[in-house]
Amino acid sequence: MNCKSYFFLFLLIIFAKVASAQTSFSSDELFQQARKAAFDQKDYPKAISLSKQALVKSPDYSDIHVFLGRIYTWSDKLDSARAQFNMVLSKHPDNEDASFAYGSLEYWNNNSVKALQYVTDGLKYHPKSKDLLLLKAKVLNDLKRYSDAYTTLDTLIKADPGNSDARALADRVKDNASKNKIGVSYDYIHFDYRTSWQLASIEYVRQTNIGSIIGRINYANRFNSNGVQYEFDAYPHISKTFYAYVSGGYSGNVGVFPKYRSGFSLYANLPASFEAEAGFRYLYFTGDTWIYTASIGKYYKNFWFNFRTYLTPSYNTISQSYSFHVRYYTGGADDYLSLGIGTGVSPDDPRNIILLNNGNNYKLRSDNVSAEYRHSFKRFNILFISASLDNQEYKFQTHGNQLDIGIGYQRRF
């Protein structure tokens, strides 16, 4: 036998030993290797191969079947994934992980009716499952069954108050949970450098197939003059990730209100309970004022944090406004204490919007703190009170204080 033959024989022996070592691994060891390949290395083909080797040794190992189904899902091999989940659920209909994984597959592939079936079946065996309850709420929201989604989220939040994902979804679903909502509010604004203002609003909210639509009438007494403003807002749904804010308003009492106002924002529901927004606001008194806004929000356990900015181009400068708000939820989506600090004037706040008149005062310094308490009772009733203190530079290097006290009530039906 020549050297070449010895070399090939050596290679065959090595390969045989490697193959023998691989087959000597237990199904648990192969399962751990598959998980490492999937999660650490993002090597899904290797994870699939190792999972299949483990199932040869343990054909009824449900956890591996569910894991393999998930890998198939991530690899866009949906029929293969369904086969794995069906295999588990046919033998073990009480398998929580299989119900959740199967429901998630159908939900993310726009089969929410099927997703609801698998999630509901899983909840029969695990009625307190946090994963299944949250997925059920997402599916019901996608099916536009908002009231059922809100009820499911309410159950989940009571059992797990610090569930950030549930709170984020509940905040989006709450205004859709009832077909109708009416609300009234009143603000009294006291200044130490001018006569007091008063502002009252009444609104009606209607839930439609495209999202909520709001009609609002605002009344104000400012600068010893009365005025009325008519507003229209809408929050159309775009996809599971995106929704929008569209707004318009008109008033014949320019000076008390802007003659025209409008706004648009695009919201994105991001992973890890983040939400981002970008948009613009437009005001017309006797000239155009364009304002651009962006915000980022984050739900964390019982808290919601939000940072927002407004930027207003004017001649060769850009006026800037910043605010930071935090909410602490004491119960459901309409039960919280909110605190805020900021600088500048918000075009979304009807109490101060008049200060943006042509940008004249917007460049001057304004600092503020605010608080709001909101409480729901008997589910369909919401009461809220608010207070804010602003220190404003209403003339160059001349400051004054503004104290605002507000109260409001909303009724869902």
Side-chain angles (χ1 to χ4, degrees):
M1 186 178 289
N2 57 32
C3 292
K4 195 173 192 180
S5 298
Y6 280 117
F7 177 72
F8 281 120
L9 180 61
F10 173 75
L11 289 179
L12 287 172
I13 293 172
I14 294 297
F15 287 144
K17 287 185 177 181
V18 171
S20 175
Q22 287 181 337
T23 56
S24 67
F25 287 125
S26 68
S27 56
D28 282 326
E29 290 171 328
L30 290 167
F31 186 23
Q32 290 301 317
Q33 292 177 29
R35 290 174 62 84
K36 184 176 181 180
F39 299 132
D40 297 344
Q41 303 167 10
K42 307 299 180 185
D43 189 341
Y44 296 151
K46 181 179 179 181
I48 291 171
S49 176
L50 289 167
S51 297
K52 287 180 175 179
Q53 292 178 43
L55 289 172
V56 169
K57 293 178 175 290
S58 304
D60 296 325
Y61 202 143
S62 296
D63 288 350
I64 300 179
H65 279 293
V66 174
F67 172 76
L68 181 57
R70 286 196 169 106
I71 300 300
Y72 278 138
T73 301
W74 301 337
S75 303
D76 204 27
K77 298 178 179 179
L78 303 184
D79 288 339
S80 297
R82 291 185 178 103
Q84 294 297 319
F85 299 143
N86 278 322
M87 189 181 304
V88 174
L89 291 173
S90 64
K91 296 179 180 179
H92 307 284
D94 61 341
N95 189 296
E96 180 181 351
D97 288 341
S99 296
F100 177 74
Y102 207 164
S104 298
L105 181 154
E106 301 298 354
Y107 169 67
W108 286 111
N109 287 278
N110 300 314
N111 298 315
S112 287
V113 173
K114 284 188 177 180
L116 184 61
Q117 172 190 334
Y118 297 120
V119 173
T120 302
D121 289 344
L123 284 168
K124 291 178 183 177
Y125 299 97
H126 307 279
K128 297 181 180 180
S129 169
K130 297 173 184 177
D131 288 336
L132 288 174
L133 285 170
L134 181 58
L135 179 57
K136 182 180 179 181
K138 291 179 179 179
V139 171
L140 289 168
N141 182 53
D142 190 52
L143 292 170
K144 297 182 171 58
R145 292 172 54 179
Y146 301 116
S147 181
D148 293 335
Y150 191 78
T151 300
T152 302
L153 289 166
D154 190 54
T155 300
L156 176 55
I157 289 172
K158 286 179 180 177
D160 185 15
N163 193 314
S164 302
D165 291 334
R167 288 209 173 274
L169 183 58
D171 208 36
R172 299 196 298 272
V173 169
K174 66 179 181 180
D175 287 330
N176 302 324
S178 300
K179 284 290 184 182
N180 305 278
K181 182 176 73 174
I182 58 172
V184 293
S185 65
Y186 171 79
D187 286 87
Y188 179 80
I189 307 167
H190 173 75
F191 301 87
D192 60 9
Y193 57 94
R194 64 161 63 105
T195 58
S196 299
W197 292 354
Q198 297 183 69
L199 177 66
S201 297
I202 182 169
E203 68 177 19
Y204 170 69
V205 184
R206 174 69 178 179
Q207 175 56 42
T208 71
N209 289 332
I210 63 170
S212 59
I213 297 175
I214 305 167
R216 184 183 302 109
I217 301 175
N218 299 318
Y219 162 82
N221 178 277
R222 297 191 252 227
F223 307 112
N224 296 316
S225 297
N226 298 318
V228 176
Q229 180 188 51
Y230 305 93
E231 289 186 300
F232 168 86
D233 294 343
Y235 291 87
H237 303 291
I238 300 174
S239 69
K240 291 183 176 72
T241 302
F242 295 101
Y243 70 98
Y245 162 74
V246 182
S247 177
Y250 168 79
S251 176
N253 306 108
V254 179
V256 180
F257 290 102
K259 185 172 184 178
Y260 302 109
R261 68 171 300 272
S262 63
F264 175 84
S265 283
L266 182 65
Y267 290 86
N269 303 312
L270 304 176
S273 302
F274 277 95
E275 181 180 71
E277 174 208 356
F280 71 87
R281 307 292 185 262
Y282 168 77
L283 303 174
Y284 182 88
F285 291 88
T286 56
D288 298 328
T289 299
W290 290 90
I291 304 164
Y292 302 92
T293 184
S295 71
I296 185 75
K298 164 68 175 175
Y299 289 86
Y300 177 72
K301 296 185 177 180
N302 288 47
F303 293 90
W304 174 73
F305 304 95
N306 181 267
F307 176 78
R308 175 181 293 278
T309 183
Y310 293 101
L311 304 174
T312 306
S314 177
Y315 301 103
N316 295 322
T317 63
I318 297 180
S319 300
Q320 303 172 33
S321 171
Y322 301 99
S323 65
F324 177 76
H325 284 84
V326 57
R327 289 179 190 168
Y328 176 75
Y329 287 92
T330 58
D334 284 304
D335 296 275
Y336 59 78
L337 173 65
S338 174
L339 300 174
I341 57 173
T343 179
V345 180
S346 164
D348 291 326
D349 189 342
R351 296 171 300 182
N352 294 322
I353 195 171
I354 198 67
L355 299 177
L356 294 170
N357 188 355
N358 294 329
N360 291 337
N361 291 327
Y362 193 60
K363 300 174 186 177
L364 302 179
R365 183 77 180 180
S366 175
D367 301 306
N368 60 81
V369 294
S370 62
E372 179 182 356
Y373 178 69
R374 186 174 292 244
H375 177 66
S376 62
F377 54 99
K378 295 184 179 179
R379 182 179 174 181
F380 297 106
N381 301 277
I382 303 163
L383 182 67
F384 56 92
I385 57 174
S386 63
S388 65
L389 178 64
D390 295 67
N391 182 262
Q392 294 182 345
E393 186 183 8
Y394 61 94
K395 294 180 181 178
F396 181 66
Q397 293 186 345
T398 304
H399 296 258
N401 294 315
Q402 168 187 330
L403 176 65
D404 182 308
I405 303 295
I407 187 169
Y409 169 78
Q410 295 176 343
R411 166 72 182 181
R412 305 180 191 274
F413 59 97

